[in-house]
Amino acid sequence: MSEQQLSQNTDQSDRLSKLDQEYYLPTYKRLPLAFASGKGCKLWDVDGNEYLDALAGIAVTSLGHTHTGIAATITEQAARLLHVSNFFVTEPQVKLARRLAESSGLDHVFLSNSGTESFEGAVKLARKYAYEHNRGGGIISMHNSFHGRTMAAVASSAPEKQEGFGPMPEGFVQVPFNDIDALKKIISDDIAAIVLEPVQGEGGIHVAQREYLHKVRELCDANNIILIFDEIQCGMGRTGQLFAKEHFDVQPDIITLAKALGNGIPIGAIISNKKISDAINYGDHGTTFGGNPLASAVALTVLDEMQKPGFLKNVIMKGELLKARLKDMQKEFGEIREVRGLGLMLGIELDFEAKPLVMTMLENGVVANATAGNVLRLVPPLIISEDEIEKLIEVIKLSITEIINKS
């Protein structure tokens, strides 16, 4: 498919695009493409063109599109019970809470509808704990972090995400990532929590240093500060472990999850230890839809698949293969500055803006994403095959070559 063909929408795509522009709040700069269906790691647009998905809905459809087990769970649960509110107990929610607590080594779970909701809830829990222990409510986050689009999440994220939405909520401050000295300088009794992503996603796929995370844990323990790991993007098998924390052997007080937990069905989670739950009273937090029977049943199916023997080992193997092939490519193209990441959460830092590369890859039949300006983000479904990895490599090579030839 040529660039000209991509830019010239079909009648159907044009109709959908015009309706979108007329009725949808203009928060997205949509790519000129409408998808109609998917299967595994493949997507098809409204004209029947096939694409390899190396984005997975931004690390969401980790088990691939139209997974038969998830489709069956949705059908069965929808025919049984969708919603009763959290005034009552449902079996899928109880089972999911137990599964997440036991799998994480933490104690209690709160289920939400999204990642940003999970983050907001985590901030509330940390501040309530701090209040009970006569500490302030300050939250320290990291430069280049991203925690969502609601107000506390925006206040904790990169400054460019905050422009035009002030005044920001008070009590949020940022320090450089992987810099323990910068963190120590602002520790005081006014700090309730430190929040970080073990692998930064939107910030350009930056991996935390193992020694740094251990020192952060020690700093929190010494000052009775809550440590929050945002695993919304890097959790749920993305790095080759169910939780990214497992790579570093560091246990946070709170983990936030979403994205791949539902493989496309909206769900988020806050997992916390007992000292957090001991500070929480009835009515301190809540949700109407969070942890409904449908979302919880789907999340259980996702966990069933990811915790099958060999699944996560295979993610590590595929991640190592893709990373090795990308590093080989780096030797061929001086325009590639660095290849980094864990598992199947990889970033290619370029010496040019990544968006033109993303568009060229799309023209060549691969869906990917640009982040942090000059980083190509690759977060394909965790079920990607070796043949699909080779196709991905071929398309990246071809697309970089085409961009070089145009310049």
Side-chain angles (χ1 to χ4, degrees):
M1 181 172 54
S2 69
E3 183 176 359
Q4 184 178 10
Q5 287 173 317
L6 185 64
S7 62
Q8 293 175 345
N9 290 335
T10 63
D11 290 343
Q12 187 174 358
S13 290
D14 186 55
R15 177 180 60 83
L16 291 171
S17 182
K18 286 179 178 177
L19 285 170
D20 174 68
Q21 292 171 19
E22 184 177 357
Y23 293 107
Y24 203 91
L25 192 70
T27 55
Y28 305 112
K29 190 175 182 180
R30 312 273 195 186
L31 294 175
L33 195 59
F35 286 117
S37 62
K39 183 68 177 177
C41 296
K42 302 289 179 61
L43 286 165
W44 288 269
D45 66 20
V46 291
D47 299 312
N49 297 306
E50 182 179 289
Y51 301 81
L52 174 63
D53 187 1
L55 181 60
I58 319 179
V60 170
T61 51
S62 289
L63 299 181
H65 301 281
T66 58
H67 185 279
T68 54
I70 291 173
T73 296
I74 291 171
T75 301
E76 292 167 8
Q77 187 61 51
R80 187 179 300 119
L81 183 68
L82 285 175
H83 180 79
V84 292
S85 88
N86 283 302
F87 287 137
F88 308 97
V89 173
T90 64
E91 186 175 12
Q93 186 185 97
V94 171
K95 286 183 174 180
L96 178 59
R98 179 180 181 180
R99 187 80 162 271
L100 287 172
E102 292 179 347
S103 297
S104 66
L106 294 171
D107 300 298
H108 293 96
V109 174
F110 180 91
L111 296 171
S112 67
N113 304 285
S114 66
T116 195
E117 267 189 66
S118 296
F119 178 79
E120 296 275 340
V123 168
K124 284 183 67 177
L125 299 189
R127 283 183 162 175
K128 185 62 188 297
Y129 175 86
Y131 173 81
E132 294 291 333
H133 291 80
N134 299 311
R135 298 185 62 84
I139 307 294
I140 302 174
S141 61
M142 305 297 137
H143 289 172
N144 300 315
S145 64
F146 180 78
H147 301 291
R149 301 283 185 176
T150 48
M151 290 307 292
V154 170
S156 298
S157 299
E160 59 266 23
K161 304 293 185 184
Q162 302 173 8
E163 186 176 352
F165 300 108
M168 285 291 110
E170 295 181 354
F172 295 86
V173 63
Q174 291 194 325
V175 297
F177 190 46
N178 280 326
D179 187 338
I180 192 66
D181 291 332
L183 196 54
K184 287 179 178 178
K185 287 178 182 177
I186 60 171
I187 294 299
S188 71
D189 289 342
D190 292 328
I191 301 301
I194 297 170
V195 58
L196 58 84
E197 303 156 87
V199 184
Q200 291 187 330
E202 297 295 322
I205 315 299
H206 294 284
V207 182
Q209 297 167 0
R210 181 183 177 89
E211 183 182 4
Y212 169 74
L213 289 187
H214 278 265
K215 288 182 177 179
V216 174
R217 177 70 273 179
E218 292 169 5
L219 190 64
C220 288
D221 289 341
N223 292 277
N224 200 20
I225 292 171
I226 299 304
L227 178 57
I228 304 171
F229 278 4
D230 179 338
E231 295 212 16
I232 291 163
Q233 185 169 155
C234 65
M236 293 304 297
R238 175 53 55 187
T239 64
Q241 298 286 355
L242 189 63
F243 301 98
K245 71 183 181 72
E246 295 170 43
H247 290 281
F248 310 96
D249 194 28
V250 173
Q251 182 72 301
D253 301 296
I254 298 175
I255 298 173
T256 58
L257 296 174
K259 288 189 179 286
L261 182 59
N263 205 68
I265 294 295
I267 186 171
I270 307 166
I271 317 176
S272 64
N273 58 22
K274 186 176 184 298
K275 75 177 185 180
I276 299 295
S277 58
D278 284 346
I280 302 303
N281 297 314
Y282 294 123
D284 278 350
H285 198 51
T287 172
T288 297
F289 297 107
N292 65 71
L294 178 66
S296 296
V298 169
L300 281 166
T301 300
V302 169
L303 285 166
D304 286 342
E305 292 294 318
M306 290 188 176
Q307 292 182 311
K308 283 182 177 178
F311 181 90
L312 293 172
K313 184 178 179 181
N314 194 51
V315 173
I316 292 174
M317 182 188 74
K318 297 293 175 59
E320 289 175 348
L321 173 62
L322 178 54
K323 195 172 188 178
R325 299 289 284 115
L326 291 170
K327 285 186 174 292
D328 288 341
M329 192 190 309
Q330 185 180 9
K331 299 172 186 176
E332 183 178 347
F333 294 97
E335 292 79 7
I336 298 177
R337 292 177 178 171
E338 186 180 9
V339 175
R340 56 182 180 253
L342 285 176
L344 284 168
M345 185 176 181
L346 298 175
I348 307 171
E349 184 175 330
L350 307 161
D351 69 359
F352 57 88
E353 286 292 306
K355 284 185 180 179
L357 177 58
V358 169
M359 290 303 298
T360 305
M361 289 174 63
L362 195 61
E363 293 159 18
N364 290 320
V366 170
V367 178
N369 173 251
T371 190
N374 65 333
V375 177
L376 177 69
R377 173 169 47 180
L378 301 176
V379 283
L382 302 182
I383 60 167
I384 190 170
S385 68
E386 292 186 20
D387 287 343
E388 288 167 332
I389 287 174
E390 290 305 319
K391 178 180 177 180
L392 174 57
I393 293 295
E394 289 173 8
V395 169
I396 295 173
K397 281 185 177 181
L398 172 63
S399 301
I400 291 177
T401 301
E402 290 179 1
I403 286 176
I404 293 171
N405 291 339
K406 287 179 183 178
S407 61

